[in-house]
Amino acid sequence: MQLNPDGKQWTSLAKTESSLCYLLTVRVIRARNIHQADVLSHTDCYVSLWLPTASNDKFQTKAISNCKDPVWNETFYFRIQSQVKNVLELALYDKDVVTQDDHLFTVYFDIAKLSLGEEVFMHFKCDSQRQEELEVGFALDNISGPPETIITNGVLVSRKICCLEVQVVEKKKKKEKKSKKEFSFKVQGSYEGTQDIVLGSNLLFSSSSPAKFHYARYKQPTLDVTLPEKKRSPSSHSRVCDTGSPNVELHSIPSGKNMILAEDKRFDLYMKAEDCPDRLDVRLGFDLCIQEQDFLCKRKNYVIPALRKVLQLEQDLLDHETPVVAVMTTGGGMRSLTALYGSLRGLKKLGVLDCATYLTGLSGTTWTMSNLYRDADWSQKDLDEQISEARKHMTKCKINSFSFEYLKYYKKQLCQRKREGRKTSFIDLWGLVLESFLHDGKDNHRLSDQQRAIDRGQNPLPIYTAVNVKNNYSTLDFKEWVEFTPYEVGLQKYGVFVRTEDFGSEFFMGRLMKKVPESRICFLEGMWSSLFSFNVLYIWNLSHSSEDFWHRWTRDQIDNIEEEPPLPVRPQELRTRLRTPAGPLGSALRAVLTDRACIAQEHSFLRGLQMHSDYLENPRFCRWKDTVLDTFPNQLTPSDEFLSLVDTGFFINTSIMPLLKPERKVDVILHLNYSAGSQIQPLDQTCKYCSEQGIVFPRVDVSEEDRKKLKECYLFDGSETPGAPVLLFFPLVNDTFQKYKAPGQRRSESEMEDGNVDLYGRCSPYSTYSLQYTEKEYDRLVQLAEYNILNNQHLIIRALRTAVARKRQIKE
């Protein structure tokens, strides 16, 4: 169990352990038959060694000139943590004087293959045709000193960090002329990096506020100090740096003891290092946070009587008989915003809204959700007031949002975010424009404020979704699901979460370093619906439904390679691999294809955390493991300073993934689809994704005839897939609504026009990029979405009864 900074408890599966460290010795011996990279001469080879789990530095051998069989015989040492996935990268370069050094290839070697106390000499077969080979010796030995205390959830590891304080005390003679002295301190790999102190005072003695550095002791960093320049003599015109600048290896400093770093006639330098507490400000765990567990208990007070009424039961369901029902929505701009109001009003009229425990959204439906949850009791009302308010904003002219006064307001807000330490982009501006589209004036609402709307369990728990992406990769190659609730924000793949109030703040190794004010929700809405985060590859995929072109011409070549002697490979260990980078043309093409127009970047709360040695075998990680970098631990999200977040629709237009988290135990999902184009495509994509990931999901069987003309609702009970939720699929179609204004009530001749709702035609007013509707267009879309719910009450009741029967059967 962990405590929040405010004293509230978080459930956590993380464990605090004492774990041994080892000494890794790497001897780079030689290479053979290296192919000629230069036209006029053989290669000038050197090897770069990078083990980021052990050191901040990249080391390299000397360069051997004009030789295809270079011999180095250089030795390097690393202190490694046994519970961390340590993958050594050995990169071979051809040194160039004029141009950038040529990167020939990189060998990835998992240190876990080595046995303690043994020395092995490895021959990595880099190219069998040319018989290229890299020879390296390895030894793994015990190291003196106490074990390291780590905190881990089996996927991520948080390690011990220290805080170094450096203080400058200035000495001055009474008659000495006032002058400024500038000191520069640097700890590479620390959270702070570099800090400067400038002194200058008429006082006899003056001291600075201490410069602080938070760093990982295991990486054995060095404090680099640059002292002020001082004059040689009054006649000299030059100023030189003091050559006595001290550099200190921080791992040798005793904890908690004040030490003199340097003494001078002008000043004294003092330093003190102390261990930071083991308490984390992130939650490492895969279970639901305790606030959500508490909500689930309270929500049953609304769900159980609602189910009794809807299903016409004689008595209340028992706790174990009560299904968890979720309403899931898709994006679609203003179309989805408007249609969701109608769907929710339909569910409210049927009494089903009070049966729902969760409500998830992305893109345009997040705008509806964030509006609704400003009202602490919205689902207990008839929704007419909320629909009327949204109508006012949907039908108003949007040109005023680009007036001079608004532009000044936008600039002021963006400048404020920069002062807070955020990276701003066009996405933030889009969020402010949305605020003006959907509200009157500034909206101070924040996501954490929505806790008021669920504190008694009176409304479904809202979950908003986004995906984390990476530069130089498409969403098909790299994406990670991110979920937002009023309680916390997190990535289920890694089992790491932060309080919603702390999202956007700066973290290091799981500790909160700099608190940044929580964003107003309009900035999150801009990110959740970042329509402008597309790239060329995304457009290519829309038209070709294939990435063959991308894979063939722009991807680095990665192959498993042979090694001698062959080492045993256990399931959690990685095969030795060789990466050959794409050529200059391929790299340039890759940059063009994957560069996104704009992206929302927030400080990563995973920064500094490391992957556990067995993370690839952790069943929770495996459930969401689907990126090309999942077996490259040095390049996963914990190594990034920022999260790069985009609209979930850039992968699949669905917000269903948080509901498939096993811990939420969702039994029934009402899938409300508002996609443009094919209504069935997002569901097909979800089925394919779940099948590939091994996620339990009901079989979706829609006939070809139905695919040409979809009905209003489909029930997929998941009977052939044990453990799958019951799925009710509501495509946004205009079927019987054309002839019926309400279930069982035919339209008169004068009312037929109201049933003519052109959803997806060329002249449709409901395009995803439409920003304004007429009052008739708005009203008709709301009424259509409401009608499609009401007209399929029988299927909703059948789905709920099926779920109750299964819950009872499991208990028996």
Side-chain angles (χ1 to χ4, degrees), residues 569-626:
V569 179
R570 292 182 287 270
Q572 69 272 23
E573 293 167 4
L574 297 170
R575 293 282 304 272
T576 300
R577 284 167 297 171
L578 180 81
R579 179 170 70 91
T580 306
L585 180 60
S587 298
L589 183 58
R590 175 177 183 159
V592 170
L593 287 172
T594 58
D595 185 48
R596 291 179 173 85
C598 53
I599 203 165
Q601 290 194 305
E602 295 283 355
H603 293 287
S604 174
F605 47 88
L606 288 77
R607 181 183 172 189
L609 298 171
Q610 296 182 343
M611 304 306 296
H612 191 273
S613 57
D614 297 335
Y615 80 97
L616 284 170
E617 290 299 299
N618 188 292
R620 288 182 166 94
F621 181 86
C622 289
R623 185 180 182 86
W624 306 107
K625 183 184 72 173
D626 67 336

Side-chain angles (χ1 to χ4, degrees), residues 94-129:
D94 174 24
K95 188 175 183 62
D96 286 324
V97 177
V98 179
T99 61
Q100 186 176 0
D101 294 351
D102 296 319
H103 180 195
L104 304 183
F105 59 76
T106 298
V107 173
Y108 295 85
F109 181 71
D110 189 351
I111 302 303
K113 294 181 180 181
L114 302 176
S115 299
L116 191 62
E118 293 184 5
E119 185 177 11
V120 294
F121 293 91
M122 304 298 302
H123 297 259
F124 299 115
K125 308 294 185 179
C126 301
D127 190 315
S128 57
Q129 290 183 344

Side-chain angles (χ1 to χ4, degrees), residues 685-696:
Q685 291 173 328
T686 301
C687 292
K688 181 175 182 291
Y689 179 82
C690 291
S691 175
E692 292 170 348
Q693 299 304 114
I695 297 172
V696 179

